Coordinates of all heavy atoms in Angstrom, one line a residue:
R56 N 52.6 7.5 -25.2 CA 52.5 7.5 -23.7 C 51.3 8.2 -23.2 O 51.4 8.9 -22.2 CB 53.8 7.9 -23.0 CG 55.0 7.1 -23.4 CD 56.3 7.5 -22.8 NE 56.3 8.1 -21.6 CZ 57.0 9.2 -21.3 NH1 57.9 9.8 -22.2 NH2 57.0 9.8 -20.1
V59 N 47.6 3.4 -20.8 CA 48.2 2.3 -20.0 C 47.6 1.0 -20.6 O 46.4 0.9 -21.0 CB 47.9 2.4 -18.6 CG1 46.4 2.4 -18.2 CG2 48.6 1.3 -17.7
W80 N 45.0 2.6 -11.1 CA 46.3 3.1 -11.3 C 46.2 4.4 -12.0 O 46.9 5.4 -11.7 CB 47.2 2.1 -12.2 CG 48.5 2.6 -12.3 CD1 49.6 2.4 -11.5 CD2 49.1 3.4 -13.5 NE1 50.8 3.1 -12.1 CE2 50.3 3.7 -13.3 CE3 48.4 3.9 -14.6 CZ2 51.1 4.4 -14.2 CZ3 49.1 4.6 -15.5 CH2 50.5 4.9 -15.3
L81 N 45.4 4.5 -13.1 CA 45.4 5.7 -13.9 C 44.7 6.9 -13.1 O 45.2 8.0 -13.3 CB 44.4 5.4 -15.1 CG 44.5 6.4 -16.2 CD1 45.9 6.7 -16.7 CD2 43.6 5.9 -17.4
I82 N 43.8 6.6 -12.2 CA 43.1 7.6 -11.5 C 43.9 8.0 -10.2 O 43.9 9.2 -9.9 CB 41.7 7.1 -11.1 CG1 40.9 6.8 -12.3 CG2 41.0 8.1 -10.2 CD1 40.6 8.0 -13.3
E83 N 44.6 7.1 -9.6 CA 45.1 7.3 -8.2 C 46.6 7.4 -8.1 O 47.1 8.0 -7.1 CB 44.5 6.2 -7.2 CG 43.1 6.3 -7.1 CD 42.6 5.1 -6.2 OE1 43.5 4.2 -5.8 OE2 41.4 5.1 -5.9
S84 N 47.4 6.9 -9.1 CA 48.8 6.9 -8.9 C 49.5 8.1 -9.4 O 49.0 8.8 -10.2 CB 49.4 5.5 -9.5 OG 49.4 5.7 -10.9
D85 N 50.8 8.2 -8.9 CA 51.6 9.3 -9.6 C 51.9 9.0 -11.0 O 51.9 10.0 -11.8 CB 53.0 9.3 -8.8 CG 52.9 9.9 -7.4 OD1 51.8 10.5 -7.1 OD2 53.8 9.6 -6.5
G86 N 52.1 7.8 -11.4 CA 52.2 7.4 -12.9 C 51.0 7.9 -13.6 O 51.1 8.4 -14.7
G87 N 49.8 7.5 -13.1 CA 48.6 7.9 -13.7 C 48.4 9.4 -13.8 O 47.9 10.0 -14.8
S88 N 48.9 10.2 -12.8 CA 48.8 11.6 -12.8 C 49.7 12.2 -14.0 O 49.4 13.1 -14.7 CB 49.4 12.1 -11.5 OG 49.4 13.6 -11.5
E89 N 50.9 11.6 -14.1 CA 51.8 12.0 -15.2 C 51.2 11.7 -16.6 O 51.2 12.5 -17.5 CB 53.1 11.2 -15.1 CG 54.0 11.7 -14.0 CD 55.2 10.8 -13.8 OE1 55.6 10.2 -14.8 OE2 55.8 10.9 -12.7
L90 N 50.5 10.6 -16.7 CA 49.9 10.2 -18.0 C 48.7 11.2 -18.2 O 48.5 11.6 -19.3 CB 49.3 8.8 -17.9 CG 48.9 8.1 -19.2 CD1 49.2 6.6 -19.2 CD2 47.5 8.3 -19.5
R91 N 48.0 11.6 -17.2 CA 46.9 12.6 -17.4 C 47.4 13.9 -17.8 O 46.9 14.5 -18.7 CB 46.1 12.7 -16.1 CG 45.2 11.4 -15.8 CD 44.1 11.7 -14.7 NE 44.7 12.3 -13.5 CZ 45.2 11.6 -12.5 NH1 45.4 10.3 -12.6 NH2 45.7 12.2 -11.4
Q92 N 48.5 14.3 -17.3 CA 49.2 15.5 -17.7 C 49.7 15.5 -19.1 O 49.4 16.5 -19.9 CB 50.4 15.9 -16.7 CG 49.9 16.3 -15.4 CD 51.1 16.4 -14.4 OE1 52.3 16.4 -14.8 NE2 50.8 16.5 -13.1
R93 N 50.2 14.4 -19.5 CA 50.6 14.2 -20.9 C 49.5 14.3 -21.9 O 49.5 14.9 -22.9 CB 51.4 12.9 -21.1 CG 52.9 13.0 -20.8 CD 53.7 11.8 -21.3 NE 53.1 10.6 -20.9 CZ 53.4 9.9 -19.7 NH1 54.2 10.5 -18.9 NH2 52.9 8.8 -19.5

Side-chain angles (χ1 to χ4, degrees):
R56 298 176 30 224
V59 60
W80 179 88
L81 193 55
I82 301 298
E83 297 176 354
S84 75
D85 290 342
S88 177
E89 289 173 19
L90 196 148
R91 289 193 310 276
Q92 290 172 11
R93 277 194 304 278

